[in-house]
Amino acid sequence: MTSPAPVVLVFLDPAFPDGRLADASQPQLMATDQGATRGDGVFESMLAVSGAVRKQQAHLDRLAGSAQALDLVIPGQDSWRAAIATGVAEHRNQHPAPSPAEDEVVVKLVVTRGPEGAESPTCWVQVSPVGALGRRQRETGIDVILLDRGYDSDVAERAPWLLLGAKTLSYATNMAALRYAHKQGADDVIFTSSDGRVLEGPTSTVLLAHLETSDDGAGATRTVRRLITPQLDSGILPGTSQGALFAAAKAAGWELGYGPLEPRDLLDADAVWLISSIRLLAPVNHIDGKEVGTPAVQKQLTAELNALFAGIQ
């Protein structure tokens, strides 16, 4: 029997300006908490490397946006920052990393509506190690399958109560999709809309790239790198990693684009990735059993984007 991963919990509490440390081995939530009984809440997951939390502001902003979509009034960002700092420092103190290369932890921010009848939400920070599987998939890549999400690409505008652009705790469907993929021998999923548009992964954003050589008109050639992601108005979660990488790629001379994308666009690309805050860039090797891009080009572009992503704070 494997032992549970070392976890540090810090609850946001007005009586504790830097957050209240709690014993993760003991029960902490009421059985009637609506986060558990209804999935009524929001969350964010961030990566901390050597004690430094990456893209913290972007995640705090997205947490606030998700909370607003659910009519949840949550503590201010300064309170979250203090609790995050407490949690990361405590985890590094209690559970030092075996090596500098493994000094990565997941920092999860969680908000639930609280127990039935509560006047304020329950909020906490959870700090735990990064799993070995995510690290491995960064290096080896992944095989994915396409799954129909069952909505068309306009549903987010027609039915905002579906909360498609919010990061809610209601992840049962996302996890069911991943289990289905694993039963099919795949590692992950790319969702499509019922009208044939590429959307996102259950826990990630889709990226694709084209590497092209063009004539500058003066007899010389230049290499154009183009990075594309699906349109945000199709009901997908705005990716903090995608946004940060786009900014870095633009500064490095890449051309950028937003869908609409169809499945054939993925198969026509020189490289495809699923990107997220914890796993980072996971190259897609096969989609529905078909090889994606050219391995040598994919390896080259992955190295270039990883170098850009490494500089993002």
Side-chain angles (χ1 to χ4, degrees):
M1 184 176 180
T2 59
S3 58
V7 175
V8 168
L9 296 180
V10 183
F11 281 81
L12 277 70
D13 187 328
F16 295 82
D18 294 326
R20 173 175 57 83
L21 283 165
D23 187 346
S25 68
Q26 298 299 315
Q28 299 293 337
L29 291 182
M30 297 285 291
T32 56
D33 192 289
Q34 294 173 87
T37 61
R38 294 178 176 171
D40 193 354
V42 297
F43 77 102
E44 283 290 326
S45 295
M46 306 180 291
L47 182 68
V49 180
S50 300
V53 180
R54 303 185 69 184
K55 301 187 283 87
Q56 185 169 217
Q57 186 61 53
H59 284 283
L60 289 173
D61 289 343
R62 193 170 67 178
L63 182 75
S66 296
Q68 184 178 23
L70 271 69
D71 295 319
L72 284 168
V73 179
I74 64 173
Q77 293 188 356
D78 286 346
S79 296
W80 284 104
R81 289 180 183 278
I84 291 166
T86 297
V88 171
E90 187 67 19
H91 194 280
R92 300 191 83 206
N93 180 55
Q94 291 185 19
H95 312 288
S99 69
E102 297 174 85
D103 195 358
E104 295 182 342
V105 293
V106 180
V107 181
K108 193 169 184 177
L109 317 182
V110 186
V111 179
T112 78
R113 201 169 296 277
E116 296 282 353
E119 295 183 358
S120 59
T122 302
C123 307
W124 72 93
V125 175
Q126 174 180 310
V127 185
S128 57
V130 171
L133 178 61
R135 292 174 183 272
R136 186 165 64 250
Q137 290 180 343
R138 297 176 197 169
E139 300 172 0
T140 63
I142 54 177
D143 293 338
V144 308
I145 58 175
L146 300 177
L147 290 183
D148 187 341
R149 182 174 262 175
Y151 302 122
D152 65 45
S153 56
D154 296 326
V155 70
E157 183 177 351
R158 292 198 319 272
W161 51 86
L162 291 177
L163 303 172
L164 294 182
K167 196 172 179 70
T168 73
L169 293 175
S170 305
Y171 254 47
T173 299
N174 298 45
M175 298 301 100
L178 287 175
R179 290 193 297 273
Y180 181 82
H182 297 161
K183 291 175 183 176
Q184 310 309 308
D187 302 300
D188 214 317
V189 166
I190 293 177
F191 285 124
T192 60
S193 65
S194 58
D195 54 343
R197 298 287 178 82
V198 173
L199 298 175
E200 60 190 341
T203 63
S204 57
T205 304
V206 178
L207 296 177
L208 64 83
H210 291 283
L211 185 63
E212 302 169 357
T213 300
S214 65
D215 190 331
D216 66 358
T221 60
R222 69 186 186 97
T223 300
V224 178
R225 291 163 170 77
R226 183 173 293 110
L227 194 60
I228 307 171
T229 197
Q231 286 178 302
L232 295 178
D233 61 4
S234 57
I236 65 176
L237 183 73
T240 61
S241 295
Q242 171 267 315
L245 184 58
F246 261 42
K250 182 178 181 179
W254 288 59
E255 293 186 359
L256 308 177
Y258 290 86
L261 298 173
E262 298 179 359
R264 67 171 179 269
D265 294 316
L266 300 175
L267 296 173
D268 290 342
D270 289 313
V272 177
W273 302 269
L274 292 184
I275 185 172
S276 58
S277 293
I278 308 304
R279 189 171 57 184
L280 307 180
L281 273 168
V284 175
N285 297 326
H286 297 88
I287 297 176
D288 287 342
K290 301 180 181 69
E291 187 174 44
V292 177
T294 306
V297 175
Q298 181 202 67
K299 184 176 181 180
Q300 172 193 341
L301 295 179
T302 299
E304 291 180 18
L305 290 177
N306 275 329
L308 292 175
F309 204 44
I312 296 170
Q313 298 299 322

